[in-house]
């Protein structure tokens, strides 16, 4: 950059018009070359070069956020990353963290933030898409702060599926997915932990103007009708 600037200054001070013409042509060629090497093949910006668009999806167990995430994926082309699914996948892979994660979930507690964020980061970096729904995270201020520290930024949008405790308990116990944490005592403990720790996160993103509160009681279609306006720009 400095070499080019010095060259132009020297040329401007010269009375030789042919040199000025050469400099102009040289600058034009440099500009064209720069545009060419920065432009991805096929035009536009490739997914890998785009900054990820992140949506946090919050809600207690049984709030229906997983079902709505599936609708968002189908309608708007997002990639769904469930924190719970990533943790269960890590357990089944027999990794060094698997046993610790399993015991923590059985006790109805939240897995250490560093572990979950590491799994989320790895999933984002390995995906060709750039639009993500991160389901079930963060559930505490520690989660949130760790994510922003490790990733370097916060989410673009936060969805909160608000559902009464009685309804969530009923839904979890009736889904019968064979999960180790789907029993009444553990479900109630999970709800207690969620209510205590998630409120500061909800308040934080409300203050940032990023949170959209969704009434999670009703039919799947009725709930999705509330979600649609949030992602209208992606149609």
């Amino acid at each position: 950059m400095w070499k080019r600037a010095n060259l132009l200054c020297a040329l401007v001070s010269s009375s030789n018009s042919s040199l000025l013409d050469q400099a102009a042509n040289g600058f034009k060629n440099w500009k064209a070359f720069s545009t060419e090497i920065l432009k991805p093949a096929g035009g536009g910006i490739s997914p890998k070069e785009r900054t990820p668009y992140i949506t946090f999806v919050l809600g207690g167990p049984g709030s229906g956020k997983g079902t709505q995430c599936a609708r968002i994926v189908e309608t708007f082309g997002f990639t769904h990353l469930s924190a719970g699914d990533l943790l269960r996948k890590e357990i089944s892979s027999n990794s060094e963290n698997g046993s610790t994660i399993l015991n923590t979930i059985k006790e109805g507690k939240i897995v250490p933030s560093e572990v979950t964020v590491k799994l989320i980061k790895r999933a984002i970096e390995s995906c060709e898409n750039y639009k993500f729904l991160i389901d079930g995270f963060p559930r505490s201020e520690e989660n949130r702060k760790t994510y922003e520290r490790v990733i370097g930024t916060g989410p673009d949008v936060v969805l909160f599926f608000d559902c009464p405790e009685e309804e969530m308990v009923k839904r979890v116990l009736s889904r019968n997915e064979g999960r180790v944490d789907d029993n009444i005592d553990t479900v109630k403990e999970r709800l207690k932990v969620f209510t205590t720790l998630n409120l500061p996160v909800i308040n934080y993103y409300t203050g940032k103007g990023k949170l959209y509160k969704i009434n999670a009681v009703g039919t799947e279609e009725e709930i999705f009708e509330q979600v649609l306006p949030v992602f209208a720009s992606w149609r």
Side-chain angles (χ1 to χ4, degrees):
M1 180 65 184
W2 282 109
K3 289 182 179 180
R4 190 175 72 254
N6 290 334
L7 174 61
L8 289 176
C9 288
L11 291 170
V12 168
S13 64
S14 171
S15 60
N16 191 327
S17 59
S18 63
L19 288 178
L20 287 172
D21 291 338
Q22 292 176 28
N25 290 332
F27 181 76
K28 185 184 297 184
N29 292 335
W30 176 87
K31 185 177 180 181
F33 175 75
S34 298
T35 302
E36 182 180 353
I37 62 174
L38 290 175
K39 183 178 179 182
I45 301 175
S46 67
K48 277 295 186 182
E49 294 175 347
R50 287 185 170 181
T51 300
Y53 185 91
I54 304 296
T55 299
F56 284 163
V57 185
L58 306 179
S63 62
K65 62 186 186 303
T67 299
Q68 293 301 317
C69 281
R71 296 289 299 270
I72 296 169
V73 168
E74 179 182 1
T75 306
F76 300 106
F78 278 65
T79 293
H80 179 204
L81 299 178
S82 166
D85 288 347
L86 290 174
L87 291 168
R88 282 184 284 275
K89 182 178 179 180
E90 190 72 4
I91 292 171
S92 64
S93 70
N94 296 318
S95 70
E96 58 180 312
N97 293 324
S99 178
T100 300
I101 293 172
L102 177 60
N103 291 333
T104 302
I105 292 176
K106 282 182 175 180
E107 294 170 2
K109 297 179 181 178
I110 295 177
V111 173
S113 301
E114 291 281 354
V115 174
T116 307
V117 172
K118 180 180 178 182
L119 295 177
I120 292 172
K121 185 173 185 290
R122 185 172 67 191
I124 291 174
E125 292 175 343
S126 64
C127 184
E128 292 293 330
N129 200 355
Y130 67 96
K131 300 181 293 183
F132 295 93
L133 303 173
I134 300 182
D135 175 4
F137 189 91
R139 293 184 179 177
S140 69
E141 277 290 273
E142 182 192 3
N143 282 174
R144 179 188 67 78
K145 292 176 181 178
T146 301
Y147 178 92
E148 293 183 359
R149 173 174 55 80
V150 173
I151 304 298
T153 186
D156 296 278
V157 171
V158 180
L159 293 182
F160 170 49
F161 289 90
D162 189 25
C163 189
E165 180 176 329
E166 297 79 6
E167 179 66 18
M168 287 190 285
V169 171
K170 183 175 69 174
R171 290 177 182 178
V172 171
L173 295 180
S174 64
R175 64 191 179 188
N176 191 28
E177 294 179 350
R179 287 167 43 173
V180 296
D181 50 345
D182 282 355
N183 61 76
I184 190 165
D185 291 334
T186 303
V187 169
K188 287 185 175 180
E189 179 61 25
R190 288 168 64 201
L191 286 171
K192 180 180 177 180
V193 170
F194 175 81
T195 302
T196 301
L197 298 181
N198 205 234
L199 185 58
V201 177
I202 292 169
N203 290 339
Y204 177 83
Y205 288 122
T206 298
K208 291 289 185 180
K210 294 185 176 184
L211 188 131
Y212 293 83
K213 186 176 180 180
I214 307 297
N215 178 9
V217 177
T219 66
E220 179 182 323
E221 195 61 39
E222 289 171 341
I223 296 170
F224 190 60
E225 285 297 319
Q226 301 175 64
V227 174
L228 284 173
V230 179
F231 299 99
S233 63
W234 294 104
R235 280 187 177 275

